[in-house]
Amino acid sequence: MTIYARLITSIAILLGLICFAAFMRHKGFIREEHGGIFSKLVTHATLPALIFVSLARTSIMWSETWLALIMLMAELIALGLGWIAAKALRLDRPSTGAMILVSGFGSSSLLGYALISQVFPRNTGAMTEAVMVSEIGVGPALFTLGTMIAIYYGSEGASPETRFKAALGFFRSPIFISVVAGLFWATFKLPTDGPVMGTIMQALDVTGAANTLMVTLLVGVLLHFQGLGSVALAGIAVAANKLILKPIMIWMPTIFMALETWEVHVLVLEAAMPSALLTVALSKTYGCNAGLASRMVFLTTLASGITIPIMFKILS
């Protein structure tokens, strides 16, 4: 199976799960009101568990964090472009928050890891770089800055001071605690096996393994296909920003760097991923427009089947 066939297969599975959840909502097995339950399960259980076990088991090579820094800078620019697009489209506060989130953060681990392991099956350095870029350059920014953006723009009608205080509440959240604990564990190489810690990690593995299913259920239960046409302009803006401009922003600095070809390939692939499914969970949990976010995730995931092979071929 070629890289492009594997890519299409991975995307098809993801879209299939989302459509299955939407079908179950249509049949009445689950209701849109259940989205709040799914989002709470993600942000308070499955995601913190996944974050901790992923970071705790990562051999962080701090000498290579500059690769993650490149990704982080591109994310910040993409977030800014998302804000500009939201203002140009005159979106309300909850929709602006959702627009910013889906414009900046991509599915670097959910799709990125699977794709890179297929493209570079015998290159452990490629997967190490992917983990560094995702877990250091994407993950912490999504879990910290992304959550604060969701809280800030989700507090519609509140004063700026109240929104700022609400955003600071993130530092007491399970997501933030799991990021700090995971980085601490990895930095000091604390044990992840043994009778006690091994059992705890196994329990967290089981919890974290449910994250993809919970997130796809959340996206599907909030997704309304009949409203896709009404967000066409927003979809075009997000797709152009996330799927085209961001890979180019990542690629440009590499022209002046002494990088191996495969290192550039990994950066481009990670940057070209569609909008992160977790942006829907953050939007739903903290009051942003989760319906808009779910549509943007669906559209960018669908479009990425075309854009990723094109950007990979052009920029590589």
Side-chain angles (χ1 to χ4, degrees):
M1 187 181 292
T2 66
I3 169 181
Y4 304 117
R6 294 184 179 114
L7 171 62
I8 296 301
T9 299
S10 299
I11 292 174
I13 292 172
L14 195 60
L15 291 174
L17 288 172
I18 293 173
C19 291
F20 176 69
F23 174 76
M24 290 203 301
R25 185 203 66 224
H26 176 71
K27 289 297 184 180
F29 297 119
I30 53 177
R31 297 193 299 272
E32 189 167 345
E33 295 75 28
H34 294 155
I37 299 175
F38 294 141
S39 67
K40 288 293 185 182
L41 284 172
V42 169
T43 56
H44 288 72
T46 62
L47 179 58
L50 180 62
I51 292 170
F52 177 76
V53 296
S54 297
L55 289 176
R57 289 171 174 157
T58 299
S59 298
I60 298 178
M61 302 173 65
W62 295 107
S63 61
E64 295 186 4
T65 52
W66 56 276
L67 294 173
L69 182 61
I70 295 175
M71 179 66 77
L72 177 60
M73 294 305 297
E75 283 178 348
L76 293 177
I77 295 173
L79 289 171
L81 292 175
W83 178 82
I84 292 173
K87 291 300 180 182
L89 294 172
R90 299 182 179 179
L91 301 181
D92 58 19
R93 288 190 61 84
S95 298
T96 296
M99 185 80 168
I100 294 172
L101 290 173
V102 297
S103 296
F105 300 111
S107 186
S108 59
S109 57
L110 184 61
L111 282 178
Y113 290 174
L115 181 59
I116 288 170
S117 66
Q118 296 295 331
V119 179
F120 307 100
R122 291 176 294 277
N123 189 336
T124 56
M127 185 53 66
T128 300
E129 180 184 335
V131 170
M132 286 296 298
V133 169
S134 180
E135 305 302 337
I136 305 300
V138 178
L142 171 59
F143 308 139
T144 55
L145 180 59
T147 303
M148 296 179 75
I149 289 172
I151 294 172
Y152 184 82
Y153 282 97
S155 305
E156 190 172 25
S159 65
E161 182 180 356
T162 301
R163 291 195 296 268
F164 181 72
K165 289 181 179 179
L168 291 179
F170 160 75
F171 294 102
R172 300 189 300 271
S173 70
I175 293 176
F176 178 75
I177 293 170
S178 65
V179 171
V180 173
L183 289 173
F184 180 84
W185 225 264
T187 300
F188 293 98
K189 303 185 185 305
L190 298 179
T192 57
D193 51 15
V196 177
M197 199 60 206
T199 303
I200 294 174
M201 293 296 287
Q202 185 175 359
L204 292 175
D205 279 331
V206 173
T207 305
N211 190 69
T212 299
L213 178 60
M214 288 294 103
V215 174
T216 52
L217 285 173
L218 173 61
V219 174
V221 81
L222 297 175
L223 179 62
H224 291 276
F225 295 100
Q226 65 269 26
L228 290 177
S230 63
V231 295
L233 287 178
I236 292 172
V238 171
N241 184 3
K242 183 71 197 67
L243 303 178
I244 298 175
L245 292 179
K246 190 176 179 182
I248 293 175
M249 286 189 286
I250 285 288
W251 170 76
M252 288 179 64
T254 65
I255 300 175
F256 309 100
M257 299 178 181
L259 295 177
E260 297 287 344
T261 301
W262 63 264
E263 290 180 304
V264 178
H265 290 174
V266 171
L267 284 173
V268 169
L269 285 174
E270 286 283 88
M273 292 297 108
S275 299
L277 276 73
L278 289 174
T279 58
V280 181
L282 294 178
S283 296
K284 180 63 178 178
T285 299
Y286 299 109
C288 289
N289 190 338
L292 175 64
S294 66
R295 292 182 177 95
M296 295 300 100
V297 166
F298 182 81
L299 289 173
T300 56
T301 302
L302 190 62
S304 68
I306 299 173
T307 59
I308 291 177
I310 292 175
M311 299 308 294
F312 183 76
K313 185 176 182 62
I314 293 175
L315 301 182
S316 297

